[in-house]
Amino acid sequence: NAGVTQTPKFRVLKTGQSMTLLCAQDMNHEYMYWYRQDPGMGLRLIHYSVGEGTTAKGEVPDGYNVSRLKKQNFLLGLESAAPSQTSVYFCASSLWASGDNTGELFFGEGSRLTVL
Amino acid sequence: LAKTTQPISMDSYEGQEVNITCSHNNIATNDYITWYQQFPSQGPRFIIQGYKTKVTNEVASLFIPADRKSSTLSLPRVSLSDTAVYYCLVGDPVTGGFKTIFGAGTRLFVKA
């Protein structure tokens, strides 16, 4: 049981290049999220999804796009990378919170992106 | 979403009990209090969640007073491996869980 897997783990881009981060979860979770974390700061929500085929904006969505074509995968795209997007990106997933389920977030190990 | 306030950093020594307090004056009726732990170069990990009074698990205890405007995460007998950032989150996990917002957290440093 791998949990939440992010690829790639490291990437260096030049300004203006595009790339996609892939998040895969094998826990059959409905919800998936993309966060970014800058040095010494907490996590900020970029986009999230409440189910296959649905996405929504979080706190800092500008410059990013997402897609959830399959329940287990959540893709984060940067169409034209900027130095301000240098950060560590975390994907997370969770179940619908009900009964004894706390709605706990399960995180991946992170993807470190540097934009030159 | 209720805003939370917690200390930026704390220091402790091995074997001591550590209490981290979080203020959430605007907590709503359906909100729960959840704590996460994050080690360097890792994603956050769920520690504990509570609604009122006291909750205890194998890792920590969570104390919530009757007015629920604050909460305290208690780590018994910390070790060096407890050095991490601890985040306090407040929200309704049923209707607002997907809007979970992490603040800067409390950076706990445990010394030998």
Side-chain angles (χ1 to χ4, degrees):
Chain A
N1 190 343
V4 178
T5 303
Q6 296 181 225
T7 53
K9 290 185 170 45
F10 301 93
R11 184 74 186 269
V12 178
L13 288 177
K14 295 181 179 179
T15 298
Q17 287 185 319
S18 63
M19 75 157 296
T20 300
L21 295 175
L22 170 63
C23 178
Q25 53 96 1
D26 60 5
M27 297 173 283
N28 202 33
H29 286 173
E30 292 91 353
Y31 300 153
M32 296 188 74
Y33 321 76
W34 275 107
Y35 294 86
R36 62 175 288 174
Q37 185 172 37
D38 299 313
M41 298 181 66
L43 284 78
R44 291 184 291 171
L45 182 63
I46 304 171
H47 285 281
Y48 62 93
S49 168
V50 300
E52 181 179 320
T54 71
T55 63
K57 295 180 180 179
E59 186 184 5
V60 289
D62 294 342
Y64 305 94
N65 57 77
V66 289
S67 65
R68 182 117 181 252
L69 299 180
K70 294 182 179 180
K71 185 177 184 179
Q72 64 267 33
N73 295 336
F74 195 30
L75 279 63
L76 177 70
L78 286 73
E79 291 186 348
S80 180
S84 60
Q85 293 177 304
T86 293
S87 189
V88 180
Y89 292 84
F90 288 99
C91 176
S93 69
S94 69
L95 282 170
W96 175 273
S98 63
D100 292 335
N101 177 23
T102 63
E104 172 186 350
L105 294 170
F106 291 82
F107 284 85
E109 294 185 354
S111 297
R112 185 176 297 275
L113 174 65
T114 301
V115 183
L116 302 176
Chain B
L1 292 171
K3 179 179 171 58
T4 61
T5 302
Q6 50 184 125
I8 294 174
S9 65
M10 296 180 68
D11 288 344
S12 183
Y13 289 93
E14 280 190 296
Q16 289 187 333
E17 178 184 74
V18 171
N19 296 309
I20 306 174
T21 297
C22 179
S23 297
H24 28 80
N25 292 320
N26 297 323
I27 190 168
T29 302
N30 294 331
D31 286 347
Y32 282 68
I33 300 145
T34 310
W35 286 81
Y36 284 81
Q37 174 192 54
Q38 185 180 26
F39 296 115
S41 302
Q42 294 186 24
R45 183 181 70 169
F46 175 92
I47 301 176
I48 197 166
Q49 184 182 82
Y51 183 80
K52 61 181 179 181
T53 63
K54 177 183 175 182
V55 179
T56 297
N57 62 23
E58 65 277 6
V59 176
S61 295
L62 179 59
F63 298 92
I64 305 168
D67 66 5
R68 305 200 325 122
K69 293 184 183 300
S70 68
S71 59
T72 299
L73 174 72
S74 181
L75 304 173
R77 298 179 297 282
V78 294
S79 64
L80 296 176
S81 62
D82 291 315
T83 293
V85 179
Y86 293 82
Y87 297 96
C88 167
L89 288 80
V90 173
D92 182 348
V94 175
T95 63
F98 45 84
K99 298 179 182 176
T100 300
I101 295 177
F102 289 73
T106 297
R107 193 170 297 271
L108 173 66
F109 186 69
V110 180
K111 295 178 277 190

Coordinates of all heavy atoms in Angstrom, one line a residue, chain B residues 6-7 9-22 34-39 45-49 54-63 71-88 105-111:
Chain B
Q6 N -0.9 30.4 17.0 CA -0.1 29.5 17.9 C 1.4 30.1 17.9 O 1.7 30.9 17.0 CB -0.1 28.1 17.3 CG 0.2 27.9 15.9 CD 0.1 26.5 15.4 OE1 -0.7 26.1 14.5 NE2 0.9 25.6 16.0
P7 N 2.2 29.7 18.9 CA 3.5 30.3 19.0 C 4.3 29.9 17.8 O 4.1 28.8 17.2 CB 4.0 29.7 20.3 CG 3.2 28.5 20.6 CD 1.8 28.8 20.0
S9 N 7.6 29.3 17.7 CA 8.6 28.3 18.1 C 8.6 28.0 19.6 O 8.2 28.8 20.4 CB 10.0 28.7 17.6 OG 10.4 29.9 18.3
M10 N 9.1 26.8 19.9 CA 9.3 26.4 21.3 C 10.5 25.5 21.4 O 10.8 24.8 20.4 CB 8.1 25.6 21.8 CG 6.8 26.4 21.8 SD 5.4 25.4 22.4 CE 5.9 25.1 24.1
D11 N 11.2 25.6 22.5 CA 12.3 24.7 22.8 C 12.0 23.8 24.0 O 11.2 24.3 24.9 CB 13.6 25.5 23.1 CG 14.2 26.2 21.9 OD1 13.8 25.8 20.8 OD2 15.0 27.1 22.1
S12 N 12.5 22.6 24.0 CA 12.3 21.7 25.1 C 13.5 20.8 25.2 O 14.4 20.8 24.4 CB 11.0 20.9 24.9 OG 10.8 20.1 26.0
Y13 N 13.5 20.0 26.3 CA 14.6 19.1 26.5 C 14.0 17.7 26.5 O 12.8 17.5 26.8 CB 15.3 19.3 27.8 CG 16.2 20.5 27.8 CD1 15.7 21.7 28.3 CD2 17.5 20.4 27.3 CE1 16.5 22.8 28.2 CE2 18.3 21.5 27.3 CZ 17.8 22.7 27.8 OH 18.6 23.9 27.7
E14 N 14.8 16.7 26.1 CA 14.3 15.3 26.1 C 13.7 14.9 27.5 O 14.2 15.3 28.5 CB 15.5 14.4 25.8 CG 15.9 14.3 24.4 CD 16.9 13.2 24.1 OE1 18.0 13.3 24.7 OE2 16.5 12.2 23.4
G15 N 12.6 14.2 27.4 CA 12.0 13.7 28.6 C 11.0 14.6 29.2 O 10.2 14.2 30.1
Q16 N 10.9 15.9 28.7 CA 9.9 16.8 29.3 C 8.6 16.7 28.6 O 8.5 16.2 27.4 CB 10.4 18.3 29.1 CG 11.6 18.6 30.0 CD 11.9 20.1 30.0 OE1 11.7 20.7 29.0 NE2 12.5 20.6 31.0
E17 N 7.6 17.2 29.2 CA 6.2 17.3 28.6 C 6.2 18.6 27.9 O 6.5 19.6 28.4 CB 5.1 17.1 29.6 CG 3.7 17.3 29.0 CD 2.7 17.3 30.1 OE1 2.5 18.3 30.8 OE2 2.0 16.2 30.3
V18 N 5.7 18.6 26.7 CA 5.5 19.9 25.9 C 4.1 20.1 25.7 O 3.3 19.2 25.2 CB 6.3 19.7 24.6 CG1 6.0 20.9 23.7 CG2 7.8 19.7 24.8
N19 N 3.7 21.4 25.9 CA 2.3 21.8 25.7 C 2.3 22.9 24.7 O 2.9 24.0 24.9 CB 1.6 22.2 27.0 CG 1.5 21.1 28.0 OD1 1.0 20.0 27.6 ND2 1.9 21.3 29.2
I20 N 1.6 22.8 23.6 CA 1.5 23.8 22.6 C 0.1 24.3 22.5 O -0.9 23.5 22.3 CB 1.9 23.3 21.2 CG1 3.3 22.7 21.2 CG2 1.9 24.4 20.1 CD1 3.8 22.0 19.9
T21 N -0.1 25.5 22.7 CA -1.5 26.1 22.8 C -1.8 26.8 21.5 O -1.0 27.5 20.9 CB -1.7 27.1 24.0 OG1 -1.4 26.3 25.2 CG2 -3.0 27.7 24.0
C22 N -3.1 26.6 21.1 CA -3.6 27.2 19.9 C -4.8 28.0 20.2 O -5.7 27.5 20.9 CB -3.9 26.1 18.8 SG -4.6 26.7 17.3
T34 N -7.9 20.0 14.8 CA -7.0 18.9 14.3 C -5.5 19.4 14.4 O -5.2 20.5 14.0 CB -7.4 18.5 12.9 OG1 -8.8 18.3 12.8 CG2 -6.6 17.3 12.4
W35 N -4.7 18.5 14.7 CA -3.2 18.8 14.8 C -2.5 17.9 13.8 O -2.7 16.7 13.8 CB -2.7 18.7 16.2 CG -3.1 19.8 17.1 CD1 -4.3 19.9 17.8 CD2 -2.3 20.9 17.5 NE1 -4.3 21.0 18.5 CE2 -3.1 21.7 18.4 CE3 -1.0 21.3 17.2 CZ2 -2.6 22.9 19.0 CZ3 -0.6 22.5 17.8 CH2 -1.3 23.3 18.6
Y36 N -1.5 18.5 13.1 CA -0.6 17.8 12.3 C 0.8 18.0 12.7 O 1.2 19.1 13.2 CB -0.8 18.2 10.8 CG -2.0 17.7 10.1 CD1 -3.3 18.3 10.3 CD2 -2.0 16.5 9.3 CE1 -4.4 17.7 9.7 CE2 -3.1 16.0 8.7 CZ -4.3 16.6 8.9 OH -5.5 16.1 8.3
Q37 N 1.7 17.1 12.3 CA 3.1 17.2 12.6 C 3.9 17.1 11.3 O 3.5 16.3 10.4 CB 3.5 16.0 13.5 CG 5.0 15.8 13.8 CD 5.2 14.5 14.5 OE1 4.9 13.4 13.9 NE2 5.9 14.5 15.6
Q38 N 4.9 17.9 11.1 CA 5.7 17.8 9.9 C 7.1 17.8 10.2 O 7.7 18.7 10.8 CB 5.3 19.0 8.9 CG 6.1 18.9 7.6 CD 5.8 20.1 6.7 OE1 5.4 21.2 7.1 NE2 5.9 19.8 5.4
F39 N 7.8 16.8 9.7 CA 9.3 16.7 9.8 C 9.9 17.3 8.5 O 9.2 17.4 7.5 CB 9.7 15.2 9.9 CG 9.2 14.5 11.1 CD1 8.3 13.5 11.1 CD2 9.7 14.9 12.4 CE1 7.9 12.9 12.2 CE2 9.2 14.3 13.5 CZ 8.3 13.3 13.4
R45 N 1.7 15.0 8.9 CA 1.1 13.8 9.3 C 0.1 14.1 10.4 O 0.4 14.8 11.3 CB 2.2 12.8 9.8 CG 1.7 11.5 10.2 CD 2.9 10.6 10.7 NE 3.4 11.1 12.0 CZ 4.2 10.4 12.8 NH1 4.7 9.2 12.4 NH2 4.6 10.9 13.9
F46 N -1.1 13.5 10.3 CA -2.1 13.7 11.3 C -1.7 13.2 12.7 O -1.1 12.1 12.8 CB -3.4 12.9 10.8 CG -4.5 12.9 11.8 CD1 -5.5 13.8 11.7 CD2 -4.6 11.9 12.7 CE1 -6.6 13.8 12.6 CE2 -5.7 11.8 13.6 CZ -6.7 12.8 13.5
I47 N -2.0 14.0 13.7 CA -1.6 13.5 15.1 C -2.9 13.2 15.8 O -3.0 12.1 16.4 CB -0.9 14.6 15.9 CG1 0.4 15.0 15.2 CG2 -0.6 14.1 17.3 CD1 1.1 16.2 15.9
I48 N -3.8 14.2 15.9 CA -5.0 14.0 16.8 C -6.1 15.0 16.4 O -5.8 16.0 15.8 CB -4.5 14.2 18.3 CG1 -5.6 13.6 19.2 CG2 -4.2 15.7 18.5 CD1 -5.0 13.5 20.7
Q49 N -7.3 14.6 16.7 CA -8.4 15.5 16.4 C -9.4 15.4 17.6 O -9.6 14.3 18.2 CB -9.1 15.1 15.1 CG -10.3 16.0 14.7 CD -10.9 15.5 13.4 OE1 -11.8 14.6 13.5 NE2 -10.6 16.0 12.3
K54 N -11.3 16.2 26.4 CA -9.9 15.7 26.2 C -10.0 14.5 25.3 O -10.9 13.6 25.4 CB -9.4 15.3 27.6 CG -8.0 14.6 27.5 CD -7.6 14.2 28.9 CE -6.2 13.4 28.9 NZ -5.8 13.0 30.2
V55 N -9.0 14.4 24.5 CA -8.8 13.3 23.6 C -7.4 12.8 23.7 O -6.4 13.6 23.8 CB -9.0 13.6 22.1 CG1 -8.8 12.4 21.2 CG2 -10.4 14.2 21.9
T56 N -7.2 11.5 23.8 CA -5.8 10.9 24.0 C -5.6 9.8 23.0 O -6.5 9.0 22.8 CB -5.6 10.5 25.4 OG1 -5.7 11.6 26.3 CG2 -4.2 9.8 25.6
N57 N -4.5 9.7 22.4 CA -4.1 8.6 21.6 C -2.7 8.2 22.0 O -2.1 8.7 23.0 CB -4.3 8.8 20.1 CG -3.4 9.9 19.6 OD1 -2.4 10.3 20.2 ND2 -3.8 10.5 18.5
E58 N -2.1 7.3 21.3 CA -0.8 6.8 21.6 C 0.3 7.8 21.4 O 1.4 7.6 21.9 CB -0.5 5.5 20.8 CG -0.3 5.7 19.3 CD -1.7 5.8 18.6 OE1 -2.7 5.7 19.3 OE2 -1.7 5.9 17.4
V59 N 0.0 8.9 20.8 CA 1.1 9.9 20.5 C 0.9 11.1 21.3 O 1.9 11.7 21.8 CB 1.0 10.3 19.0 CG1 2.0 11.4 18.7 CG2 1.2 9.1 18.1
A60 N -0.3 11.6 21.5 CA -0.5 12.9 22.2 C -1.8 12.9 22.9 O -2.7 12.1 22.7 CB -0.4 14.0 21.2
S61 N -2.0 14.0 23.6 CA -3.3 14.4 24.2 C -3.7 15.7 23.7 O -2.9 16.6 23.4 CB -3.3 14.4 25.7 OG -3.0 13.1 26.2
L62 N -5.0 15.9 23.6 CA -5.6 17.2 23.2 C -6.6 17.7 24.2 O -7.5 17.0 24.5 CB -6.2 17.1 21.8 CG -6.9 18.3 21.2 CD1 -5.8 19.4 21.0 CD2 -7.5 18.0 19.8
F63 N -6.3 18.9 24.8 CA -7.2 19.4 25.8 C -8.0 20.6 25.2 O -7.4 21.5 24.7 CB -6.4 19.9 27.0 CG -5.6 18.8 27.7 CD1 -4.3 18.5 27.3 CD2 -6.2 18.0 28.7 CE1 -3.6 17.5 27.9 CE2 -5.5 17.0 29.3 CZ -4.2 16.7 28.9
S71 N -7.1 25.5 22.4 CA -6.8 24.0 22.6 C -5.3 23.9 22.9 O -4.5 24.7 22.5 CB -7.3 23.2 21.4 OG -6.6 23.6 20.2
T72 N -5.0 22.8 23.6 CA -3.6 22.5 23.9 C -3.2 21.1 23.5 O -3.8 20.1 23.9 CB -3.3 22.7 25.4 OG1 -3.7 24.0 25.8 CG2 -1.9 22.4 25.7
L73 N -2.2 21.0 22.7 CA -1.6 19.7 22.3 C -0.5 19.4 23.3 O 0.4 20.2 23.5 CB -1.0 19.8 20.9 CG -0.2 18.6 20.4 CD1 -1.2 17.5 20.1 CD2 0.6 18.9 19.2
S74 N -0.6 18.2 23.9 CA 0.3 17.8 24.9 C 1.1 16.6 24.4 O 0.5 15.6 24.1 CB -0.4 17.5 26.2 OG 0.6 17.1 27.2
L75 N 2.4 16.8 24.4 CA 3.3 15.7 24.0 C 4.1 15.2 25.2 O 4.9 15.9 25.8 CB 4.3 16.2 22.9 CG 3.7 16.8 21.7 CD1 4.8 17.4 20.8 CD2 2.9 15.8 20.9
P76 N 3.8 14.0 25.7 CA 4.4 13.5 26.9 C 5.9 13.0 26.7 O 6.1 12.4 25.7 CB 3.6 12.3 27.3 CG 3.0 11.8 26.0 CD 2.8 13.0 25.1
R77 N 6.8 13.4 27.5 CA 8.2 12.9 27.5 C 8.7 12.9 26.0 O 9.0 11.9 25.4 CB 8.2 11.5 28.0 CG 7.8 11.4 29.5 CD 7.8 10.0 30.0 NE 6.9 9.1 29.3 CZ 5.6 9.1 29.5 NH1 5.1 9.9 30.4 NH2 4.8 8.3 28.8
V78 N 9.0 14.1 25.5 CA 9.4 14.3 24.2 C 10.8 13.7 24.0 O 11.6 13.7 25.0 CB 9.4 15.7 23.7 CG1 8.0 16.2 23.6 CG2 10.2 16.6 24.6
S79 N 11.2 13.3 22.8 CA 12.5 12.9 22.4 C 13.0 13.7 21.3 O 12.3 14.6 20.7 CB 12.5 11.4 22.0 OG 11.7 11.2 20.9
L80 N 14.2 13.5 20.9 CA 14.8 14.3 19.9 C 14.0 14.2 18.6 O 13.9 15.1 17.8 CB 16.3 13.9 19.6 CG 17.3 14.1 20.8 CD1 18.6 13.6 20.4 CD2 17.4 15.6 21.1
S81 N 13.4 13.0 18.4 CA 12.7 12.7 17.1 C 11.4 13.5 17.1 O 10.7 13.4 16.0 CB 12.4 11.3 17.0 OG 11.7 10.8 18.1
D82 N 11.0 14.2 18.1 CA 9.8 15.0 18.1 C 10.0 16.4 17.6 O 9.1 17.2 17.5 CB 9.2 15.0 19.5 CG 8.6 13.7 20.0 OD1 7.9 13.1 19.2 OD2 8.9 13.3 21.2
T83 N 11.3 16.7 17.3 CA 11.6 18.0 16.7 C 10.9 18.1 15.3 O 11.1 17.2 14.5 CB 13.1 18.1 16.5 OG1 13.7 18.2 17.8 CG2 13.4 19.4 15.7
A84 N 10.0 19.0 15.2 CA 9.2 19.1 14.0 C 8.3 20.4 14.1 O 8.4 21.1 15.1 CB 8.2 17.9 13.9
V85 N 7.6 20.6 13.1 CA 6.6 21.7 13.1 C 5.2 21.2 13.3 O 4.9 20.1 12.7 CB 6.6 22.5 11.7 CG1 5.6 23.6 11.8 CG2 8.0 23.1 11.5
Y86 N 4.5 21.8 14.2 CA 3.2 21.3 14.6 C 2.1 22.3 14.2 O 2.2 23.5 14.5 CB 3.1 21.1 16.1 CG 4.0 19.9 16.5 CD1 5.4 20.1 16.7 CD2 3.5 18.6 16.7 CE1 6.2 19.1 17.0 CE2 4.3 17.6 17.0 CZ 5.6 17.8 17.2 OH 6.5 16.7 17.5
Y87 N 1.1 21.9 13.5 CA 0.1 22.8 12.9 C -1.3 22.5 13.6 O -1.7 21.4 13.8 CB -0.1 22.5 11.4 CG 1.1 22.8 10.6 CD1 2.0 21.8 10.2 CD2 1.3 24.1 10.1 CE1 3.0 22.1 9.4 CE2 2.4 24.4 9.3 CZ 3.3 23.3 9.0 OH 4.4 23.6 8.2
C88 N -1.9 23.6 14.0 CA -3.3 23.5 14.5 C -4.2 24.0 13.5 O -4.1 25.1 12.9 CB -3.3 24.4 15.8 SG -5.0 24.8 16.4
G105 N 2.4 27.3 11.8 CA 2.7 26.3 12.7 C 3.6 26.7 13.8 O 4.1 27.8 13.9
T106 N 3.9 25.7 14.7 CA 4.9 26.0 15.8 C 6.1 25.0 15.6 O 5.9 23.8 15.5 CB 4.2 25.6 17.2 OG1 3.1 26.5 17.4 CG2 5.3 25.7 18.3
R107 N 7.2 25.6 15.5 CA 8.4 24.9 15.3 C 9.0 24.4 16.7 O 9.4 25.3 17.5 CB 9.5 25.7 14.6 CG 10.6 25.0 14.0 CD 11.5 25.9 13.1 NE 10.7 26.3 12.0 CZ 10.6 25.6 10.8 NH1 11.3 24.5 10.7 NH2 9.9 26.1 9.8
L108 N 8.9 23.2 17.0 CA 9.4 22.6 18.3 C 10.8 22.0 18.1 O 11.0 21.2 17.2 CB 8.5 21.5 18.8 CG 8.9 20.7 20.0 CD1 9.0 21.6 21.2 CD2 8.1 19.5 20.3
F109 N 11.7 22.5 18.9 CA 13.1 22.0 18.9 C 13.3 21.3 20.2 O 13.3 21.9 21.3 CB 14.0 23.1 18.6 CG 15.5 22.7 18.4 CD1 15.8 21.9 17.3 CD2 16.4 22.9 19.4 CE1 17.1 21.5 17.1 CE2 17.7 22.5 19.2 CZ 18.1 21.8 18.1
V110 N 13.6 20.0 20.2 CA 13.9 19.2 21.4 C 15.4 19.0 21.5 O 16.1 18.5 20.5 CB 13.2 17.9 21.3 CG1 13.6 17.1 22.6 CG2 11.7 18.1 21.2
K111 N 16.0 19.4 22.6 CA 17.4 19.4 22.8 C 17.8 18.2 23.8 O 16.9 17.8 24.6 CB 17.9 20.7 23.4 CG 17.7 21.9 22.4 CD 18.2 23.2 23.0 CE 17.1 23.8 23.9 NZ 17.4 25.2 24.3

